[in-house]
Amino acid sequence: MKHYMMLYPQGKTKALTLSFDDACKNDRPLVALFNKYGLKSSFNVSSCNCVKAEGQTDPWNIPISEIKDLYKGHEIACHGYTHPHLDRLPLEAMNYELYKDRLTLEEYTGDIIKGFVYPYGNYNNDTITALKINGLVYARTCIGFPKNHEFDVPENWLEMDTTCHQSDSRLFDLAERFINENPLTNHHRKAGYLFSVWGHSYEFDSTENWERIESFCKKVSGREDVWYPTTIELYSYVKAYKSLTYSIDMNVISNPSAYDIWLAKDGVPFAVPAGKTVKI
Ligand SMILES: [Zn+2]
């Protein structure tokens, strides 16, 4: 039987995405850095803290009225209204934390907010119920280097892990591998590479750390074979890929989605255009 590998838009074989939490004031230079290198991040906001920062002199958090302009071109995602330990709350309080955060962020951005990051990485089965009730489609944990240390695409989007934390000692080794390896040569892979890094900009308080993150950005940016999506863009593309339908012999592929979807067969990329059916 045939086997196809999921590739990214324009047949790119790799994707890199970033995810930074807590909307603290160091996000201002961090966003400028990502913009300089054409990288995309999700910024995960506990909006109560940003509401409180409004009108303060030099607050630790980004004031709520600033978030729309500051994070332009990136994704804004929910992070619990008051940054609670969600696993210690009853379901209705959890629901409030998610609902109020999403409502506040949507009011101040005018956007639809569908992403979530677990504060402190804590959650339980009720949290996942609350996510579903509130229409949040992915939820990032604080776990880096899951399972097999590979550049895998999440299977369970409500408990999605990352490749590593920004300060992981293996960050640059991983970047080296990510750049130099070609996923198309491994015919057993389900998808192209995904490199996802999470962190907090307040951890960049020393000059040394700013230099480290800049050299990482420089190393991984501007590459022809890499797509740089936000997490929600990545999620939407993968969902569209999952919506493809196939004939039983896998020779005919139909794409009901609004995205051109790229795959590879035996290491050769091809596209199934949006709304079209192709015969391989
Ligand atoms: Zn946090």
Side-chain angles (χ1 to χ4, degrees):
M1 188 56 79
K2 288 188 177 62
H3 164 254
Y4 300 112
M5 181 189 293
M6 185 192 81
L7 299 181
Y8 300 109
Q10 289 88 49
K12 292 175 195 286
T13 54
K14 302 168 192 177
L16 182 136
T17 193
L18 305 163
S19 184
F20 280 77
D21 305 350
D22 297 347
C24 85
K25 59 187 177 183
N26 275 358
D27 277 8
R28 295 183 185 114
L30 189 64
V31 169
L33 190 65
F34 293 161
N35 290 346
K36 178 178 169 186
Y37 289 99
L39 303 179
K40 292 286 185 74
S41 184
S42 163
F43 288 93
N44 313 305
V45 181
S46 291
S47 48
C48 180
N49 294 333
C50 297
V51 169
K52 285 183 185 163
E54 199 64 40
Q56 285 183 24
T57 310
D58 192 26
W60 192 85
N61 284 105
I62 302 293
I64 194 77
S65 61
E66 192 184 326
I67 61 169
K68 182 181 168 71
D69 286 342
L70 175 64
Y71 299 125
K72 200 173 164 51
H74 299 270
E75 178 188 354
I76 295 173
C78 298
H79 194 37
Y81 187 58
T82 65
H83 202 281
H85 287 278
L86 286 168
D87 60 332
R88 300 177 195 175
L89 301 179
L91 180 58
E92 60 267 40
M94 248 185 238
N95 181 59
Y96 173 82
E97 285 285 343
L98 272 48
Y99 173 81
K100 180 77 175 166
D101 198 30
R102 183 173 171 194
L103 187 70
T104 306
L105 293 174
E106 289 188 342
E107 278 176 0
Y108 278 91
T109 61
D111 289 334
I112 298 168
I113 309 278
K114 298 293 278 181
F116 185 74
V117 167
Y118 296 110
Y120 310 104
N122 293 340
Y123 62 99
N124 57 24
N125 289 340
D126 279 351
T127 323
I128 291 176
T129 303
L131 288 168
K132 290 176 180 168
I133 290 169
N134 287 286
L136 296 162
V137 294
Y138 78 78
R140 203 209 75 215
T141 68
C142 295
I143 303 167
F145 251 158
K147 302 164 288 265
N148 53 11
H149 298 194
E150 291 298 332
F151 298 110
D152 291 338
V153 174
E155 288 288 335
N156 179 357
W157 285 88
L158 293 182
E159 296 177 81
M160 62 175 288
D161 299 331
T162 56
T163 310
C164 68
H165 183 263
Q166 77 205 22
S167 59
D168 195 301
S169 60
R170 291 158 293 192
L171 182 70
F172 285 88
D173 296 340
L174 285 162
E176 200 63 33
R177 267 192 60 204
F178 180 73
I179 289 166
N180 293 323
E181 291 182 3
N182 180 0
L184 289 176
T185 60
N186 180 352
H187 294 184
H188 297 291
R189 281 194 68 85
K190 282 197 280 194
Y193 280 7
L194 171 65
F195 193 176
S196 55
V197 179
W198 75 281
H200 306 98
S201 64
Y202 61 76
E203 296 178 75
F204 293 129
D205 267 340
S206 77
T207 313
E208 194 185 304
N209 283 342
W210 280 110
E211 286 169 357
R212 187 172 187 271
I213 192 70
E214 176 143 19
S215 57
F216 175 76
C217 292
K218 207 176 209 168
K219 194 174 182 71
V220 297
S221 63
R223 307 193 67 87
E224 289 272 297
D225 58 349
V226 181
W227 179 39
Y228 301 97
T230 62
T231 311
I232 196 68
E233 287 167 347
L234 176 75
Y235 169 87
S236 301
Y237 181 83
V238 174
K239 281 285 153 188
Y241 169 79
K242 298 268 186 190
S243 77
L244 295 177
T245 56
Y246 303 84
S247 61
I248 196 113
D249 64 4
M250 303 285 285
N251 282 330
V252 183
I253 309 176
S254 187
N255 177 2
S257 81
Y259 295 80
D260 293 344
I261 301 294
W262 285 80
L263 302 89
K265 178 178 169 288
D266 301 329
V268 181
F270 65 94
V272 185
K276 300 280 194 243
T277 299
V278 299
K279 191 164 179 9
I280 307 305

